[in-house]
Structure formats: C-alpha cells, structure tokens
Amino acid sequence: MFTRLLARGRLGNGSVVVLSGAVSTGKTELLNALVDDAAATGAVVLTALATPAERDEPLALVRQLFRTPPQFGAEDDLAWPRVTDAEAAPAAPTDTGTAPADQLSTSAVHDLWSAIDTLARRVTVVIGVDDLHFADVESLRCLAYFGGRVRASRVLIVVSENIGHVGTDASRASWHTDLLRQPHCHRIQVSPLSPRGVAELLDTRLRLPVGTVTTTRWHHVSGGNPLLLRALTEDAAAVARQPAGLAGLAEPTGPAEPVAPGEPAEPAEPAEPVAGTAFGQAYLTCLHRGGPDLLQVARGLAILAESGSSASLRQLVDADEPTVERALDLLERAGLLERAGPLGTGRFRHPAARAAVLAEMSPGERSHLYQRAARLLQVDGAAAHTVAAHLVAAHHPPGPWAFAVLCRAVEETLDHDRLFAAECLRLARLVCSDDMQRATVALLRLRISSPSAEVDPLTAAEHQVAVQAALGGTNREIARILHITASTVEQHLTRVYRKLGAKGRADLRSTFMQFAREDLD
C-alpha cells in the first residue's frame, strides 16, 4: 500500500498513513522502514519523535520537523521557517476576547505548510512521526492542518500511534475526528506476529531451522510481540554464551556433529525459549509504555494469580469495568496476556512475566495488595486455601477475620502440602484472640506433627469436644457445656485421638499448655 501511495504522491496526490496498533507490536520498525524506502527513492524525509516528557510543551514536535533545512540539491535557495519565529505570531482572540496561550495563529500554521508545499514542488516530501499519541496539542493541530491539504500536493504523512492512548484525551481528539474520516487518510493496523512470522524471524535472525513445535512455543511465550521475541533471543544468547542482541546470534553454539569434508554443517534446532532477565525487562517496558491503566491491571492480575473474578480484579485495582476491560483487551492485543482461564480475566503467557511484574513492586505495595486480594477473594467465596495463599504471600499478620479461613486452609492442604499448612497455622496463631482459638490452633498443630494422624478432618462436633478437652474440661463438664451426654463425649474423643494421632486426653491438654506458654514467651 505504501509503495502505491508514494507513487501517487509523486504525481501530486498526497495522503496520510496511520500505523495503529497495541504497544510494542512493531509500529516504529515499520515506520522507519517506510521512510527509509521513501528516502531511497529520492524523497526528502522530515522526521520527529513525540515523547511523554514533551507532551505538554507547545510545538515540541513541530520544532523537530523544522529543526534543519532540508538538503536536496546543489541549488538550495529554499526559505525554511524557524518555528520559534512563527510561534511569536499571536493566535486569533477567542469569543472571550483573549488569545489562547501558546497557540499559533491560523496564518502562522499556514506559513509552515506553505514552506513544506513549496519544497514538495521540487521533490516529494515524506513526513514521518513516531509515537504520535505523545504529541503536544499544538503540534497535533499543525499536523491536522497539514493533513487536510496533502491531497493536492506531493506530501505524504506517515505516523505511528498506540491504540491504548487513542480516545483518552479530548484535547487531542481533533486529529482523529477532523482528519481520519477523509478519503486520503489510510489506517494500517499493526498486529503481533503470527506463528509463521515468528518462524521467519527466528530463521532469519538466528539462522537456525525451527521446527513446528518449537515455533509454537516461541510464539506462545512472546505472544508474537516483536520486543518480547527479541528479548527471548537475547536470553537464548546469554544461555548459549553468545553476544547479546540479534546481531550476535548469527551462529549456533555447542558441539558440532562431524561432517564430511566440503559439506556444510547442519545447525542444531534451538531449544525451548528461555524467559530470563531480558524478557522480564522487555515485558515491563511494554507495560510502562502502554500507560498506567495497563500497568495497574497487570499488577492486579499478578497478585490474583488467576484466582479472582473480573469483579475482584476491578475492586483490587480500584477501576471501573470499562477501564479494566479496555486494559485487558489492549494487553491481549499486544501479546502480553491471553484472555483465558476459568474466570475469564486473563493470564500471563509465561511465569517469568508475572514474576517480573511482582518484583517491580515495592514490598509494602505487594503486601498491601495481597492482603486486599485475600479479603476480596474471601468475600467472593473462593476456597480457603486460595485465600490463605494470598495471606501467606503478604508476609504480614492478617486481621482477625482470617482465623477461620486459615484453619480451614490447614485442613484442606494438610494431606498434600504440609509446609503450606504449617505456614497457615503460623499465621492463624498470630491472630488468636481467646483460648478457644488457641486450643483450635493447638489441635491443628498436633495433627500436623503426628505421623499417625489420619487424613480425615475432625467433624464440627468432634472439634468442639476436642477444644473443651484441650482446655482441661472433664467429660461431664464438656457434656454440660455442649448439651450432650458424657457417653457421646467419650465416643467423640475416641475418634479425635485416632484422627489426631494423640495418645489420649493428656496429649490434647499438654499441646495446648505448651502453645499457651509459647504465647507468653
């Protein structure tokens, strides 16, 4: 398409091309390739890069376009404007009788366009602007003016923009509302690489044959995101002790198979992608370039670890449904996330991505979010061990509400993860508020430590009897407190001893007394 539009531009039919896509999907690379191709055909290229630091500086981007007079021939007598001079021209007064601050007059904007149009009568002009979503408002106004007049000129405007920023600022909306509806404006959607595109890039950059299965894994981990794919190759180079970067990955390493004289060696197929330091840094770069909403939602997903619903995610990041859904959609379109999982919020394509997001947060922020997530999951009806996992990850004593959840988590995980059960019991002990709760923890501790304990947990009735026995109650006292017979108490205790691996009432009592002494210490 661009080649055709460039050819039409040489004939005086200019156009605007917008390269639109999610963060780090290759828009900049494509823009650079297009303007380089244009320059190779003899066109004069004017380029600019918009940055967040200059977003609020009037005409910062336009100054870049006019910073240096173009050189295109020996007889170069073109009068090239200085934007600082044009900037001094006052804008027309508004209805209130005052001129907007830092705003060019229409005549000043026209003078800038006239300079470009005069140049275009001698040679085709291509204006390339990267990261347009970071442009200042006045520069956008100038570009919109230029774009409205290129149709009858030898000027092409090519810009790249992140769809995550489009429509989020009303002051910058005129670029789309006033210009992109015009027939000479063309939008090209830039998407992540397909599996075939990943295979071609690996084959070209790594110079290695890549099998179908391996290609699928590289595509899955990177999501087709060129920046992440490049990072994976850098991590692969580090593992193989090759120079970092794609340029240094020309040759495979490792012992070579013997080959006959004169025959080329067959390079070995690359191993599974390794997501290391470069991958983690690239992932965080994508999130930060995507904007605060993407970063915050990614952090919420990293904390919830696929255990929360969309509602709990919204509450955790303190954002409304449209904001969260938009962020999830953008994360998926950038290849940073896959919208899957039982609750439909999304999941990371590789554990290294989640690890990088968690590691970037401060310990205090992680702890706060884990505690908040645990409470939200408990209200949402999540399993006790799921809630407890977040409490354990918080590395901070929870509130009194967590006692029952932690005790249930011990029962749920005791038979297959005693270390986690013991950690839940440690937290439960920290929030005990009375002797009944201390006795409960003591009984659970006895069950964890006893090698002869059974898998089946105590029933509610057995638990009540065991607690009273641990507190020192006799069968008659327990029967009176629980309104049951002494015979029933004895039957319950028999099952309690068997399930906990206790030798008798003395074990229950001594475990509780030891626990009480430790609390005093």
Side-chain angles (χ1 to χ4, degrees):
M1 175 188 286
F2 182 76
T3 302
R4 184 178 73 253
L5 293 176
L6 183 60
R8 293 183 59 187
R10 293 194 191 96
L11 300 176
N13 298 308
S15 57
V16 177
V17 178
V18 180
L19 307 177
S20 181
V23 61
S24 299
T25 49
K27 301 180 296 297
T28 297
E29 290 84 349
L30 180 56
L31 173 66
N32 291 337
L34 294 179
V35 297
D36 286 347
D37 288 347
T41 65
V44 168
V45 174
L46 308 176
T47 60
L49 170 64
T51 64
E54 296 178 323
R55 185 182 179 93
D56 296 321
E57 182 180 337
L59 298 173
L61 187 141
V62 169
R63 287 195 190 95
Q64 294 183 51
L65 294 176
F66 289 90
R67 61 181 175 272
T68 305
Q71 303 295 324
F72 60 91
E75 298 179 359
D76 186 3
D77 58 351
L78 179 70
W80 197 244
R82 294 179 58 200
V83 175
T84 51
D85 294 337
E87 189 177 358
T94 62
D95 294 340
T96 61
T98 60
D102 299 315
Q103 180 173 315
L104 289 177
S105 65
T106 301
S107 62
V109 177
H110 179 76
D111 289 343
L112 294 177
W113 165 249
S114 294
I116 295 175
D117 191 37
T118 299
L119 173 63
R121 292 171 188 169
R122 306 183 184 186
V123 61
T124 304
V125 177
V126 175
I127 298 175
V129 178
D130 196 14
D131 286 346
L132 184 70
H133 46 279
F134 290 135
D136 61 276
V137 175
E138 266 306 286
S139 291
L140 282 176
R141 176 170 169 256
C142 291
L143 285 176
Y145 186 93
F146 299 168
R149 284 153 181 79
V150 299
R151 191 175 186 182
S153 72
R154 300 172 66 194
V155 178
L156 273 76
I157 299 177
V158 187
V159 303
S160 71
E161 65 177 6
N162 184 346
I163 57 174
H165 294 267
V166 175
T168 59
D169 189 339
S171 65
R172 292 170 167 81
S174 61
W175 166 262
H176 295 86
T177 56
D178 297 342
L179 184 61
L180 296 186
R181 59 186 177 85
Q182 300 294 332
H184 64 285
C185 296
H186 309 272
R187 184 188 295 272
I188 298 177
Q189 292 290 343
V190 182
S191 302
L193 298 172
S194 66
R196 180 177 178 180
V198 169
E200 291 175 353
L201 186 144
L202 291 174
D203 182 57
T204 302
R205 301 285 187 170
L206 300 180
R207 299 183 185 177
L208 293 171
V210 181
T212 303
V213 176
T214 306
T215 299
T216 301
R217 285 292 299 150
W218 283 77
H219 180 265
H220 174 78
V221 175
S222 68
N225 184 296
L227 183 62
L228 297 185
L229 187 60
R230 184 183 302 116
L232 288 175
T233 61
E234 292 172 1
D235 286 329
V239 171
R241 293 186 175 86
Q242 291 181 332
L246 294 177
L249 296 177
E251 299 295 335
T253 61
E257 295 291 332
V259 294
E263 291 186 6
E266 288 291 335
E269 184 171 315
E272 290 284 309
V274 178
T277 301
F279 178 83
Q281 292 174 344
Y283 196 92
L284 292 175
T285 297
C286 291
L287 292 180
H288 283 280
R289 286 180 60 83
D293 290 341
L294 265 65
L295 179 62
Q296 193 63 14
V297 168
R299 287 177 171 178
L301 287 171
I303 292 293
L304 289 172
E306 298 185 43
S307 60
S309 64
S310 296
S312 57
L313 175 62
R314 292 195 299 271
Q315 290 177 286
L316 182 62
V317 301
D318 194 22
D320 57 23
E321 183 174 4
T323 299
V324 171
E325 284 301 314
R326 176 181 172 83
L328 289 172
D329 178 64
L330 292 171
L331 287 168
E332 181 184 30
R333 294 175 69 172
L336 302 176
L337 192 74
E338 53 183 348
R339 294 295 294 272
L343 298 175
T345 51
R347 64 186 176 202
F348 294 96
R349 293 178 171 272
H350 194 280
R354 176 174 179 257
V357 174
L358 291 174
E360 191 189 35
M361 289 187 277
S362 68
E365 185 178 12
R366 279 198 305 272
S367 179
H368 170 73
L369 288 176
Y370 269 124
Q371 291 181 78
R372 187 175 180 188
R375 189 59 166 155
L376 290 171
L377 291 170
Q378 191 260 347
V379 172
D380 211 24
H385 66 270
T386 299
V387 178
H390 288 76
L391 293 173
V392 169
H395 298 291
H396 189 276
W401 66 269
F403 179 81
V405 173
L406 290 165
C407 290
R408 286 200 303 273
V410 173
E411 297 281 6
E412 291 177 3
T413 60
L414 186 57
D415 61 328
H416 62 273
D417 193 348
R418 284 181 176 258
L419 289 177
F420 177 73
E423 189 61 24
C424 292
L425 194 59
R426 183 189 68 82
L427 286 180
R429 175 187 174 185
L430 295 177
V431 296
C432 285
S433 59
D434 55 39
D435 282 347
M436 296 286 287
Q437 291 185 344
R438 294 186 185 93
T440 297
V441 172
L443 293 174
L444 289 173
R445 174 191 282 185
L446 179 61
R447 187 175 175 206
I448 288 178
S449 61
S450 175
S452 59
E454 295 183 355
V455 174
D456 292 338
L458 300 179
T459 65
E462 292 166 354
H463 175 75
Q464 288 180 322
V465 170
V467 167
Q468 293 298 328
L471 292 174
T474 65
N475 286 4
R476 289 186 178 181
E477 291 171 339
I478 297 172
R480 184 176 66 256
I481 292 173
L482 301 180
H483 304 289
I484 56 178
T485 66
S487 174
T488 301
V489 172
E490 186 62 36
Q491 294 173 23
H492 284 323
L493 284 175
T494 299
R495 289 189 289 271
V496 167
Y497 302 150
R498 186 183 72 249
K499 290 183 177 181
L500 298 183
K503 296 178 180 178
R505 185 188 300 267
D507 274 359
L508 302 183
R509 182 61 179 165
S510 64
T511 300
F512 172 72
M513 293 303 296
Q514 179 184 356
F515 181 85
R517 285 194 296 272
E518 291 174 358
D519 264 6
L520 290 176
D521 293 339

